[in-house]
Amino acid sequence: MSSSIVSQSCSVNRNGKSTVTWKQIQSWFQEKLKQQSQPKFKTLPSPPLQIHDLSNPSCYAANATFVQTRKGKASDLADLAFEAKSARDYAWYDVSSFLTYRVLRTGELEVRVRFSGFDNRHDEWVNVKTSVRERSIPLEPSECGRVNIGDLLLCFQERDDQALYCDGHVVNIKRGIHDHRRCNCVFLVRYDLDNTEEPLGLEKICRRPDE
């Protein structure tokens, strides 16, 4: 993925939260996994790999009971606010839609995702447990006090040859005097990928949603 379009991995769509939570969609995936682990016929072995189409909304609309406290209509997976980690560069990108899912021989669940701002040439299979999560949220200047040492952040990492959104942990914070319109605080983060450290301003970090 070229650096000219990588900046789309933290789009304006990060603002706001879906009425359907990550725990709810994760429960749906887990329920599907349980169903696949139960063979319909005891005389036949379970297939080594199951692949299912999620491109048709009726697939999950018919299974809307996975949401215990759903409000409103059954939502299309494409409308949920998630991000996924690409195996190409280990960066996180906004998910435009979940296309299919499959159960591996190991019992692990994978989904094929389409990243926001990219076409089908960049679709990838990703592990649900390790590489899909609720979308990170940009911070307002008045919210910098929510960031503490040790916190996991999604950080905008700029290099000479690329610009990516990747995970980092806060190792130090230099608080600055500011108002609700501008934050001058500096957050020293250590990137999980290569253990390098870099000072970042508020505009280059996104916090993880509250659990």
Side-chain angles (χ1 to χ4, degrees):
M1 299 179 182
S2 64
S3 59
S4 61
I5 54 179
V6 160
S7 60
Q8 299 181 57
S9 68
C10 190
S11 67
V12 293
N13 293 328
R14 289 187 182 277
N15 295 321
K17 297 182 68 175
S18 171
T19 57
V20 180
T21 68
W22 166 235
K23 288 185 178 180
Q24 289 169 336
I25 192 63
Q26 193 174 43
S27 296
W28 184 82
F29 278 127
Q30 291 301 322
E31 181 61 28
K32 284 295 181 181
L33 182 58
K34 290 179 182 179
Q35 292 176 9
Q36 294 306 320
S37 65
Q38 299 174 354
K40 295 181 180 179
F41 305 100
K42 294 183 179 180
T43 56
L44 296 177
S46 299
L49 180 67
Q50 296 287 332
I51 300 178
H52 298 266
D53 183 15
L54 295 182
S55 59
N56 184 356
S58 63
C59 170
Y60 31 84
N63 294 279
T65 55
F66 81 94
V67 178
Q68 297 179 354
T69 58
R70 181 187 293 278
K71 296 180 180 179
K73 67 183 182 67
S75 299
D76 187 329
L77 292 182
D79 294 332
L80 302 182
F82 300 110
E83 59 193 20
K85 184 167 62 175
S86 170
R88 296 188 177 98
D89 53 19
Y90 303 103
W92 291 89
Y93 296 87
D94 288 346
V95 173
S96 172
S97 60
F98 295 95
L99 305 174
T100 63
Y101 74 91
R102 64 186 182 186
V103 182
L104 303 182
R105 295 178 181 87
T106 60
E108 294 179 294
L109 189 65
E110 289 188 343
V111 288
R112 190 163 182 83
V113 299
R114 179 156 301 161
F115 297 112
S116 180
F118 299 92
D119 59 28
N120 59 2
R121 293 174 297 176
H122 298 283
D123 293 350
E124 287 188 43
W125 287 104
V126 297
N127 185 287
V128 170
K129 184 176 181 179
T130 62
S131 300
V132 180
R133 66 189 185 188
E134 190 174 353
R135 188 176 296 164
S136 302
I137 304 171
L139 286 153
E140 298 293 333
S142 60
E143 297 179 315
C144 65
R146 302 182 66 168
V147 180
N148 299 295
I149 294 176
D151 285 357
L152 170 66
L153 300 175
L154 182 67
C155 309
F156 186 53
Q157 183 190 65
E158 292 184 277
R159 295 292 184 261
D160 293 337
D161 57 342
Q162 63 182 10
L164 306 171
Y165 277 91
C166 52
D167 283 343
H169 283 80
V170 181
V171 296
N172 195 18
I173 301 175
K174 182 180 180 181
R175 302 289 183 183
I177 300 176
H178 60 83
D179 55 28
H180 66 282
R181 294 171 297 180
R182 182 176 177 82
C183 173
N184 295 317
C185 298
V186 178
F187 305 89
L188 182 64
V189 300
R190 179 180 296 127
Y191 295 112
D192 291 0
L193 183 60
D194 56 13
N195 280 327
T196 60
E197 296 183 0
E198 182 178 10
L200 298 176
L202 191 74
E203 71 282 357
K204 290 189 176 182
I205 61 175
C206 296
R207 68 175 177 86
R208 297 296 304 132
D210 296 330
E211 294 297 331

